[in-house]
Amino acid sequence: MGSDATDQPRRSRRERPAKPALSRDGIVATAVGIMRSEGLAKVTMRRLAQELDTGPASLYVYVANTAELHAAILDELLEPLRAEDGGDWRERLEGLLTSYTTTLFAHPGLARAALVIQPSGAHYLRLVESLLALLDEGGIPPAQAAWGVDLLLQYTTATAAEQATRDQSADTQAVWDSLTDTLHGTSDRTHPHIADLATRLVSGTAEQRMSWGIATLINGIRATPVPTGDAPDRRDRV
Amino acid sequence: MGSDATDQPRRSRRERPAKPALSRDGIVATAVGIMRSEGLAKVTMRRLAQELDTGPASLYVYVANTAELHAAILDELLEPLRAEDGGDWRERLEGLLTSYTTTLFAHPGLARAALVIQPSGAHYLRLVESLLALLDEGGIPPAQAAWGVDLLLQYTTATAAEQATRDQSADTQAVWDSLTDTLHGTSDRTHPHIADLATRLVSGTAEQRMSWGIATLINGIRATPVPTGDAPDRRDRV
DNA sequence: ACCTGAACACCGTTCAAGT
DNA sequence: ACCTGAACACCGTTCAAGT
């Protein structure tokens, strides 16, 4: 009983489980799959089309371009993100931002895409909502929270983008060594401050830096009022 | 008299002013030229080779890869950056960071490269030195200044990367409108904080946001001590 | 309306062979 | 040592033509 062509009269089966109809959701889901197994760099229109057993042109019926596709992938990855229940608002805020960063870390290259596209998917909005709720709980004035949430997300996204890229490249250690050497070798006369702080400039683990960075941002956001007056919209729209 | 073969016995001239010898500096200078006139996206190994009248393989004698080339271009652009003379240290710090951002703004795409590569050229080091001097002048504790300078440069670089990309794309307005609509259309019940702050989330000009962001970072850096103890090197090297 | 083959106009990087 | 032609293994996007 090696064959199973019983109730499906004619149609090439096996290999592919009956080519499913194309849909935006199906395309995004397949894209996520490729990214998880091979990284974002492999998620190209051509490769994706191949996976879906069609030509690249077909995808443009559902996705405007590669950037939009990457935005959709990102939002999909944010699905499991949720703030913890117990604890101090600061701890929960740091926890939520850390899981956001961890998510981006796990998928090198997506963080860079996130910096370049303006995410606006459902899961991203939920993340923003959670962050605003925590800042509110911490008594941060609304205007500062509104601008601050941008700062917090930008910081974590940019950090993930940097870190992810560096981990990816094979010669990270070499680059690092040469930077350390450059800093320590800097002349005391031309660059006194760098020479003085050489060790401190590169001290700390990524986790320590991130934790300090988030605390620094929160302290800054709390302490810095936004300019008063009816500030115009960023696009000068009324 | 269509020919002009007078005092140069044999050698195809005209068109190209006698092909110069390749050198790293020449390659970088040519790359900067292409970037200024056509944008970073056009600075490819192939295009650069064509400009230098050779094949792409020849460039690999002087430049390890495209990322290294972009790093070299960035450093070249930082050459004219200098802190102003007069005024408050805060104003001069903001001024210097603003000219850094303006430089990246003027060349869309380079900011993104700056986030991905660890800059370490001579002009970048001078910028770091200037920032450390200003933070020192402002009485920021050395350990906080050392970590803070990273935060300030990351913030400005990431902001430029975001802004540059968005200005570049033709349908910026459409994306913006749809984001605004999304925010304002967000249900009061599912996303109460977003609904409440919708206007504030998108308020302010890019300049106002940047200025507030820098002030926020400085306040945070001043207020947040770095973890004590002999913190290990970021790479655990002793 | 949805889908597609084929084409247009490109990429980075390597390598064996030359000078 | 430096330079190169040619190749390998790819890209995103468009468009006319089909169903």
Side-chain angles (χ1 to χ4, degrees), chain A residues 77-217:
Chain A
L77 291 189
L78 299 182
E79 197 279 319
L81 286 198
R82 247 160 281 264
E84 296 147 36
D85 272 340
D88 179 43
W89 69 274
R90 266 178 185 270
E91 276 165 31
R92 292 195 287 146
L93 185 54
E94 185 173 336
L96 183 54
L97 288 171
T98 301
S99 23
Y100 172 69
T101 314
T102 305
T103 303
L104 292 180
F105 256 77
H107 303 282
L110 201 67
R112 250 164 303 155
L115 275 174
V116 155
I117 56 199
Q118 173 67 259
S120 62
H123 300 126
Y124 187 82
L125 284 181
R126 194 186 55 191
L127 173 60
V128 171
E129 175 68 19
S130 301
L131 293 172
L132 288 174
L134 288 165
L135 290 169
D136 185 38
E137 198 180 320
I140 309 285
Q144 283 153 241
W147 284 20
V149 76
D150 235 44
L151 216 54
L152 288 166
L153 284 168
Q154 193 205 47
Y155 169 64
T156 45
T157 307
T159 300
E162 285 180 350
Q163 209 58 35
T165 314
R166 279 158 211 181
D167 289 353
Q168 232 178 342
S169 89
D171 47 16
T172 307
Q173 189 63 49
V175 169
W176 186 256
D177 287 354
S178 100
L179 177 65
T180 309
D181 289 355
T182 304
L183 290 178
H184 283 279
T186 297
S187 163
D188 206 34
R189 298 194 54 225
T190 55
H191 302 79
H193 294 89
I194 290 179
D196 204 39
L197 298 172
T199 303
R200 280 164 159 167
L201 283 168
V202 296
S203 71
T205 63
E207 289 73 23
Q208 287 174 320
R209 290 252 181 175
M210 170 78 82
S211 180
W212 179 81
I214 292 172
T216 299
L217 287 176

Side-chain angles (χ1 to χ4, degrees), chain B residues 167-210:
Chain B
D167 289 354
Q168 232 179 342
S169 91
D171 46 17
T172 308
Q173 189 63 48
V175 171
W176 185 256
D177 287 355
S178 99
L179 177 66
T180 309
D181 290 356
T182 304
L183 291 179
H184 283 280
T186 297
S187 163
D188 207 33
R189 298 194 55 225
T190 56
H191 301 80
H193 294 89
I194 291 180
D196 203 39
L197 296 173
T199 303
R200 279 165 159 165
L201 283 168
V202 295
S203 72
T205 63
E207 289 72 23
Q208 288 175 320
R209 290 252 179 172
M210 170 78 81

Side-chain angles (χ1 to χ4, degrees), chain A residues 2-113:
Chain A
S3 170
D4 56 357
T6 21
D7 44 30
Q8 296 203 324
R10 162 174 319 120
R11 185 142 45 99
S12 70
R13 323 100 303 170
R14 253 323 89 124
E15 301 307 344
R16 304 198 169 269
K19 187 176 163 186
L22 286 178
S23 73
R24 194 186 150 94
D25 285 355
I27 289 171
V28 173
T30 306
V32 170
I34 297 175
M35 196 209 52
R36 279 192 211 278
S37 55
E38 302 172 56
L40 187 69
K42 289 286 166 61
V43 184
T44 66
M45 293 305 228
R46 280 165 182 273
R47 177 63 209 285
L48 191 49
Q50 181 193 306
E51 201 79 12
L52 291 163
D53 206 12
T54 182
S58 306
L59 305 178
Y60 285 83
V61 176
Y62 304 96
V63 180
N65 51 46
T66 308
E68 197 194 292
L69 177 66
H70 287 174
I73 294 174
L74 169 63
D75 204 68
E76 216 50 56
L77 291 189
L78 299 182
E79 197 279 319
L81 286 198
R82 247 160 281 264
E84 296 147 36
D85 272 340
D88 179 43
W89 69 274
R90 266 178 185 270
E91 276 165 31
R92 292 195 287 146
L93 185 54
E94 185 173 336
L96 183 54
L97 288 171
T98 301
S99 23
Y100 172 69
T101 314
T102 305
T103 303
L104 292 180
F105 256 77
H107 303 282
L110 201 67
R112 250 164 303 155

